[in-house]
Amino acid sequence: MSDHDKPDLMKSKHVKFFRRTLAVLPGHMVSLDTMKMTIAFFSISGLDILGRLDELNDDKEEIIEWIYSLQVLPDEGGKNMNKCGFRASNMIGCSYEPEKTRSDQCIYDGSHIAMTYTALASLIILGDDLSRVNKPAIIQGVRSLQMSDGSFSSTMDGSETDMRFIYCAACVCYMLNDWSAIEIDKAVEYIKHSQGYEGGLGQGAGQESHGGSTFCGIASLVLMKKLDQAFTIKDLNRLKRWCILRQQTGFHSRPNKPEDTCYSFWVGATLKLLGMFEMTNYEFNRSFVLETQDEVIGGFSKWPDNTPDPLHSYMGLGGLSFLKDPEFHLNEVDPTINITLRAMDHLHQLQKQWTVAS
């Protein structure tokens, strides 16, 4: 393909797409309102990758206040500490009235670990200092979700337990600079035993290797500084080979599946963490992802000629950021906690301030 034939990145349309999804979801996405915190993260961080976070200047304080309004705080007796963190949206949980006790109003109210992760990430991206985050309560909330096998549940009221939530727990601990919420050795063993015979990681032991769970496991180990402890050189070589083989034109999740925009990030970020991304075909990756753009309303879909959505729009841009294409002018994403390097610098500055203050 000549340079003249290369599709362009329609940045202005993607900016408008993220602005719309941050404000109101279209009718066919109404079910996503139950995970609005994550949708907000995709939109906020998507604008950051595009270098257009200034689009939110007039709304930034309102967004920050909305995020904090979804923080599940301890009650007077601290009886709900194991449920503290962040909720998914305003339609989940309840607003507390001073004259009523927590048990009178919403006994099932609690946080979700993925929403806690994306809430903290969004606050960091927006430049907040996290001063209103109840760190001890969140750490206790995360701690209460670890299972005996080392995995994590998403909520205290029962849910799946798998690799995704180990990753969320690791990100929360990294961002708050407090690893006391995780029994790291147990988590490492869970990840280690999730490696399949072909080299990738499943959601748990004996499950099919998958690009998403592979990213979650490897990124968690890197955050915990345990990658070399978990896997031998032979294991890592099998893992690297499995990841490299996920590229067809774009990337797919596992053998015999079609390419999918979001795996440009999931597999691409894993290869970045393994020091292997340079062995991928940049042009194939770029071409596939750009083919999934919607030329009318902006955003990216999982496949060409499909309806765009917030997840694939964000992950598509994240994958493109790894290419460091000078024509795109994208802010690169850090492949561990999945925020831009710019936002990561802000987090590190906060952590230095916390260290000095303590």
Side-chain angles (χ1 to χ4, degrees), residues 66-84:
W66 173 78
I67 294 172
Y68 274 115
S69 75
L70 296 176
Q71 185 173 196
V72 180
L73 296 167
D75 59 22
E76 290 184 5
K79 295 178 181 179
N80 69 325
M81 288 286 281
N82 60 353
K83 292 188 175 184
C84 289

Side-chain angles (χ1 to χ4, degrees), residues 176-233:
L176 297 184
N177 202 24
D178 186 341
W179 288 93
S180 64
I182 300 179
E183 290 189 57
I184 289 178
D185 289 343
K186 282 187 175 182
V188 169
E189 284 299 301
Y190 184 91
I191 297 170
K192 177 180 178 180
H193 291 138
S194 298
Q195 185 174 35
Y197 69 92
E198 74 275 62
L201 306 184
Q203 291 286 21
Q207 298 189 41
E208 182 183 13
S209 297
H210 188 280
S213 50
T214 297
F215 165 77
C216 289
I218 297 306
S220 297
L221 291 173
V222 171
L223 288 169
M224 294 186 286
K225 300 181 180 179
K226 296 292 183 179
L227 181 61
D228 293 333
Q229 175 182 317
F231 297 117
T232 64
I233 293 176

Side-chain angles (χ1 to χ4, degrees), residues 118-136:
T118 51
L120 292 173
S122 295
L123 288 171
I124 291 164
I125 294 166
L126 292 169
D128 187 69
D129 63 2
L130 305 186
S131 60
R132 288 185 281 168
V133 170
N134 191 318
K135 296 176 187 177

Side-chain angles (χ1 to χ4, degrees), residues 3-4 15 17 43 68 83-84 92 109 120 151 191 239 255 274 283 307 311 356:
D3 289 344
H4 179 73
V15 169
F17 179 86
S43 302
Y68 274 115
K83 292 188 175 184
C84 289
I92 298 174
D109 190 24
L120 292 173
S151 66
I191 297 170
L239 173 64
L274 295 172
E283 192 55 49
T307 303
L311 182 148
V356 171

Side-chain angles (χ1 to χ4, degrees), residues 3-4 13 21 27 65 75 96 106-107 111 140-141 146 175 180 223 226 255 259 267 269 271 302 326 330 339-340 343:
D3 289 344
H4 179 73
K13 290 185 180 294
T21 56
E65 291 302 317
D75 59 22
Y96 298 110
C106 202
I107 61 173
S111 66
Q140 178 58 41
Q146 188 165 22
M175 288 187 280
S180 64
L223 288 169
K226 296 292 183 179
E259 299 96 325
V267 179
L271 288 167
K302 65 188 304 178
L330 297 176
I339 59 176
T340 64

